[in-house]
Amino acid sequence: MNAPAKLSLRDDFPGLVTTEGQPWHYLDTAATAQKPRAVIEAVARALGEDYATVHRGVYARSAEMTLAYEAARRRVAQFIGGREEELVFTRGATEAINLVAYSYPKKGRVLLSVLEHHSNIVPWQLAGWQVDVCPLTPDGRIDLDAAASMLTPEHEMVAFAHVSNVLGSRLDVARAAELAHAVGAKLLIDGCQAVPRLPVDVVKLGCDFYAFSAHKLYGPTGIGALWGRTELLEAMPPWQGGGSMIDRVTFERTTYAPPPQRFEAGTPAITEAIGFAAAVEYVEAIGIDRIHRHEVELVASLRRELGAMNDVTQFGPDDSAGIVSFALDGVHPHDLGTILDEADVAIRAGHHCAQPLMDHLGVPATARASFGLYSDESDIAALLEGIARTRRIFGSISG
Ligand code: PMP
């Protein structure tokens, strides 16, 4: 039997209260998630009584920290169905995508989609790839039929978001992998918004690279991961040089460590890695399936309420994952966000680092409410109350 979807975990998150001690209705989890005490305490221990460097020390504390750091790698890799030697710690999803864009040995054509985050557009441009753009279906999904007709043997890479950070639309990754592989291309998945809200198994999905950030998964900032197939990572040269990524250095010739160390130059984000693993442990203890069902119910509830308002436009498909973008007629999303803030409701308003998607939607910005495992109906009620208040304020200005 499935456990009930409803979760009640606000008390685990010290960030979810205002400075006055009132509930803070945080609906910006897609930007970054609040941190549970378990993560905060794990990081504090790693910075405190457990602190030492990794990989170099000859003393016991450093050896223990090295074991903890590598155990964190194992834990994070297993969370997405991968193996530790396939998982590179990066600064975040952005750096993970940059790593592939710069280091993948054959830079040819890459197929992106209209809904990509800037961090899955600009790295390819900067690294000299020729970018093609796959359109969306009318309800805001990446149009895989269009992708099938656009892909050619010249494409080396397809890079798509698993879940859109604006529309919440989900990609059929297995089908995207089939299409990419049919023309000999590799598939990179930007999993930033998927990993916190959907079960992910990179082997079952059939992708070649998977990028994500810890901070959206209830972990620390400053760390994320690139999962890649071993043979692909082995074929990729390092993209940054320094300590820890070498085998042997001389002035004449330097040889490199195998992956993943090859891609982790310098002292790594040690305490962040410990926090990353603690976040994974926290999420696993609750169950990602349960988190998913909890968010599905919240999305359905909010979409139902907004759907009953004739001055609200919703973007994205009805079954969006954890994210609802919308517009209130006659009110700029920034004004809505500011008025909501006065009522301790935090939403995101803007282009969400997806300007091509805004151009496609024909709007400069959207308002976005996004849920996390700690969100509940009280957050939705506060948002709806704030929308009603905004309507009254704007009605009285224009009336
Ligand atoms: N891709 C998507 C879909 C995102 O939502 C984000 C963060 N907003 C990123 C990539 C970039 O992640 P980060 O800034 O953590 O590197």
Side-chain angles (χ1 to χ4, degrees), residues 53-138:
T53 194
V54 292
H55 295 151
R56 278 178 276 253
V58 291
Y59 43 91
R61 177 88 75 87
S62 173
E64 279 158 21
M65 196 49 130
T66 304
L67 288 177
Y69 178 76
E70 292 303 330
R73 187 194 305 282
R74 197 155 50 245
R75 187 98 208 199
V76 172
Q78 283 168 358
F79 181 61
I80 56 156
R83 289 177 287 125
E84 57 188 304
E85 62 272 24
E86 300 168 325
L87 193 115
V88 182
F89 280 131
T90 61
R91 269 200 317 118
T94 300
E95 191 179 72
I97 298 169
N98 273 275
L99 197 171
V100 178
Y102 277 94
S103 200
Y104 193 73
K106 285 193 266 169
K107 293 181 190 59
R109 299 190 90 89
V110 57
L111 181 67
L112 309 177
S113 87
V114 169
L115 59 68
E116 299 311 315
H117 189 280
H118 295 164
S119 62
N120 194 26
I121 300 174
V122 184
W124 305 103
Q125 294 173 326
L126 279 175
W129 293 69
Q130 280 177 280
V131 172
D132 293 316
V133 186
C134 181
L136 307 184
T137 60

Side-chain angles (χ1 to χ4, degrees), residues 6-22:
K6 221 171 259 329
L7 294 171
S8 180
L9 294 161
R10 282 186 73 93
D11 291 349
D12 285 357
F13 292 81
L16 290 176
V17 286
T18 65
T19 41
E20 291 81 34
Q22 296 303 311

Side-chain angles (χ1 to χ4, degrees), residues 40 162 180-181 248 289-291:
I40 297 167
H162 195 168
H181 294 158
R248 173 92 180 99
D289 287 308
R290 204 161 159 218
I291 295 168

Side-chain angles (χ1 to χ4, degrees), residues 30-31 92-95 97 117 119 161 163 165 190 192-193 213 215-216:
T94 300
E95 191 179 72
I97 298 169
H117 189 280
S119 62
V163 168
N165 66 311
D190 170 359
C192 259
Q193 298 295 347
S213 294
H215 71 99
K216 295 183 199 272

Side-chain angles (χ1 to χ4, degrees), residues 29-31 113-117 136-137 139-142 160-173 190-198 292 295-296 299-300 302-303 314-326 351-352 354 357-358 361 366-371:
T29 296
S113 87
V114 169
L115 59 68
E116 299 311 315
H117 189 280
L136 307 184
T137 60
D139 65 349
R141 303 171 202 270
I142 298 175
F160 287 161
H162 195 168
V163 168
S164 160
N165 66 311
V166 180
L167 304 173
S169 43
R170 277 180 265 172
L171 175 73
D172 179 348
V173 178
D190 170 359
C192 259
Q193 298 295 347
V195 157
R197 41 183 65 91
L198 301 177
H292 175 60
E295 291 191 9
V296 164
V299 165
L302 177 57
R303 284 203 179 273
Q314 298 185 56
F315 302 100
D318 288 345
D319 66 346
S320 61
I323 292 169
V324 179
S325 272
F326 63 97
H351 56 60
H352 314 291
L357 176 58
M358 296 298 113
L361 296 173
T366 75
R368 180 187 73 186
S370 56
F371 298 114

Side-chain angles (χ1 to χ4, degrees), residues 231-249:
E231 69 276 16
L232 297 177
L233 292 178
E234 275 171 355
M236 286 162 54
W239 74 311
Q240 290 175 346
S244 298
M245 50 72 73
I246 51 86
D247 166 38
R248 173 92 180 99
V249 178

